[in-house]
Amino acid sequence: MNKTLTIALVGAGMFGGDVHLRTYCQLEQYGLSPWLGRLGLEPLARSLSDVDIEFVALGTRTESSAQTRKREFGALGMNFSLYHGETPWLDILHDFPELDILAVATPDHLHTAPIIAALEAGVHVVTEKPMALDASEADAIIAASEKAGRLVGVDMHKRYDPDHLR
């Protein structure tokens, strides 16, 4: 059984670069267990303690933004491939056919295309909210998820924020 989850990210702006990449850096360094208590998932800590996280690729629109994030997170010990252009997720999915998760942190109106491409490639997805901007896109994503037998998780990052819970 493979105990390594591979993750790639498209979008390295404010949320992708500041939140997603920092999270994947910490997950690579420390594993899943330290973070499960924050979500009320302590009972899973022992069974997930031997799962490694490997961040393998970053896709951005411009080469300069990719290079900037590579320098920033490379200094923290991360090593990953870079892709840039209008559809960097297509090259990522091609070059990493065994990818487990594609994270999507593009601008909202650009979520659907990488999500559908990942699902068609048999890859699970974590996307920022909103998943899509209209019901027909959301329906297409749900249908692709069901057809592929893959999950699409929508990051509702304030769900467990202690200030919001209070």
Side-chain angles (χ1 to χ4, degrees):
M1 181 174 170
N2 185 354
K3 295 274 189 163
T4 299
L5 285 176
T6 55
I7 301 173
L9 169 66
V10 290
M14 178 186 71
F15 219 81
D18 294 337
V19 175
H20 279 264
L21 275 174
R22 194 162 315 286
T23 299
Y24 303 140
C25 182
Q26 291 175 344
L27 288 170
E28 270 194 356
Q29 292 175 342
Y30 310 118
L32 289 170
S33 293
W35 318 111
L36 294 174
R38 175 76 176 194
L39 305 174
L41 299 174
E42 298 92 335
L44 297 175
R46 188 176 307 276
S47 64
L48 295 176
S49 65
D50 61 346
V51 174
D52 291 323
I53 305 295
E54 182 182 2
F55 182 77
V56 297
L58 172 64
T60 61
R61 190 174 160 283
T62 66
E63 183 177 10
S64 63
S65 62
Q67 292 291 345
T68 297
R69 295 302 185 174
K70 177 82 170 188
R71 282 190 301 277
E72 179 183 357
F73 287 92
L76 298 174
M78 292 181 79
N79 183 26
F80 49 88
S81 299
L82 296 179
Y83 298 83
H84 65 278
E86 294 300 315
T87 57
W89 57 88
L90 296 177
D91 293 325
I92 292 170
L93 293 168
H94 176 268
D95 290 353
F96 294 92
E98 300 299 318
L99 186 68
D100 293 303
I101 300 168
L102 180 70
V104 178
T106 59
D108 294 350
H109 69 285
L110 300 175
H111 286 182
T112 301
I115 292 171
I116 297 286
L119 293 169
E120 289 175 349
V123 176
H124 299 284
V125 176
V126 172
T127 186
E128 283 304 315
K129 62 176 179 57
M131 179 176 72
L133 293 183
D134 64 49
S136 64
E137 287 182 352
D139 288 343
I141 290 169
I142 292 167
S145 173
E146 290 172 349
K147 181 178 179 184
R150 295 294 180 261
L151 299 175
V152 177
V154 180
D155 178 22
M156 305 297 279
H157 57 274
K158 292 297 185 182
R159 179 178 298 160
Y160 298 107
D161 184 314
D163 293 328
H164 285 261
L165 292 173
R166 276 192 289 278

